[in-house]
Amino acid sequence: PRRGPVLLPTPGPQDGFRWAMAITEAAKQQEANPDNASELATWAGRSSLAVEGVPASNIPAHDTRHDDTTMRAFPHGTLTQPPAGDQDDAGELLVLATGTDESVSRLRAGEAMSAVLLSATDFRLATCPLSQVLEIRVTRELVRTRVLDGFGFPQMVLRIGWAPAENPPLPATPRRALAEVFPPFRPAGV
């Protein structure tokens, strides 16, 4: 990771258990924090007319679990999808790590994550970033020491697997106009 970010799979069942414990502990701590609940309520479960945030139509109506992994619970979700049944999504937990924890390393990790998410989409894989385990100092250190054996600094956890083929596509989410995000370029002095 000294040269850039690396994407590492969890090596075995013991690490899967460690991941699940760390994710569950982070979820408990965040759910107990009123500031965290307030921030989620501000940005998640929005009307379909909202320009910012995550619409309620894109948030699962019920808490979601994949194997031993509890996914972050967002408020006010209305998305219902048929159960996967006996289908195995072949989901894997991966960690994106860097050699240092400096700003430039975090920037490079974000660039790498973008490339991973776009590649997964190209292969029709479903992805889910699991940042909550890294948002709590204690659980981030647990991932660093017990899952990565002290190798690098975890920057993002991703769950990647197959989405059920028979599920309908997810509703589109609102996007800001490109000009709001990237104003037109005007050379200096013009």
Side-chain angles (χ1 to χ4, degrees):
R2 288 185 185 150
R3 291 197 157 87
V6 293
L7 188 65
L8 303 167
T10 55
Q14 176 105 8
D15 288 315
F17 177 72
R18 289 177 179 158
W19 277 117
M21 283 182 50
I23 290 169
T24 299
E25 179 59 29
K28 284 180 187 175
Q29 287 191 32
Q30 286 183 330
E31 287 170 8
N33 181 337
D35 291 338
N36 186 64
S38 175
E39 184 175 353
L40 279 180
T42 299
W43 293 103
R46 307 286 305 258
S47 158
S48 60
L49 302 175
V51 180
E52 297 175 327
V54 182
S57 60
N58 290 79
I59 299 172
H62 307 287
D63 290 347
T64 306
R65 291 184 60 82
H66 290 286
D67 300 322
D68 291 335
T69 307
T70 302
M71 309 309 270
R72 186 189 308 252
F74 289 94
H76 315 298
T78 62
L79 177 67
T80 57
Q81 292 189 312
D86 293 335
Q87 291 182 353
D88 179 12
D89 68 358
E92 293 289 333
L93 287 175
L94 307 170
V95 64
L96 186 63
T98 55
T100 69
D101 202 24
E102 299 167 353
S103 296
V104 72
S105 292
R106 291 190 294 271
L107 174 67
R108 296 294 177 247
E111 292 169 341
M113 187 176 81
S114 176
V116 169
L117 295 175
L118 289 170
S119 296
T121 300
D122 196 37
F123 285 109
R124 300 189 187 278
L125 292 167
T127 58
C128 182
L130 299 169
S131 61
Q132 66 269 32
V133 72
L134 304 179
E135 294 167 4
I136 304 291
R137 185 179 44 81
V138 172
T139 55
R140 184 176 191 227
E141 189 60 25
L142 181 69
V143 170
R144 183 173 191 269
T145 58
R146 293 198 179 163
V147 176
L148 297 178
D149 285 331
F151 173 78
F153 294 86
Q155 301 297 342
M156 180 56 71
V157 177
L158 294 170
R159 187 176 190 284
I160 298 179
W162 297 104
E166 67 278 357
N167 280 8
L170 294 173
T173 56
R175 298 286 187 251
R176 289 177 182 241
L178 187 59
E180 282 186 55
V181 180
F182 294 107
F185 175 73
R186 292 193 175 93
V190 175

